[in-house]
Amino acid sequence: MSEAPIRDRVLDLVALLLLITLAAAVFLIAGSAAFTAVTSVGLGLFATWRGRPPRP
């Protein structure tokens, strides 16, 4: 298995940072009661993003 190109790694980093920012914003709006839901959804979305098949 070959190493992922830098462009793909940067795209993964940007996606993760955007999900963290979105989760923080929702957490601030919804309050601490939403912590588990927001965290779970964010982790699920990132896992789905990382689990996609490689592009040709």
Side-chain angles (χ1 to χ4, degrees):
M1 184 175 204
S2 65
E3 184 88 17
I6 295 295
R7 184 180 68 92
D8 288 343
R9 301 292 297 218
V10 170
L11 186 59
D12 287 342
L13 176 62
V14 169
L16 178 59
L17 291 176
L18 284 174
L19 284 171
I20 289 170
T21 303
L22 181 63
V26 171
F27 178 71
L28 288 173
I29 293 167
S32 61
F35 179 74
T36 302
V38 169
T39 303
S40 298
V41 168
L43 287 173
L45 288 171
F46 187 70
T48 301
W49 171 264
R50 290 289 299 152
R52 74 190 189 286
R55 286 175 259 153

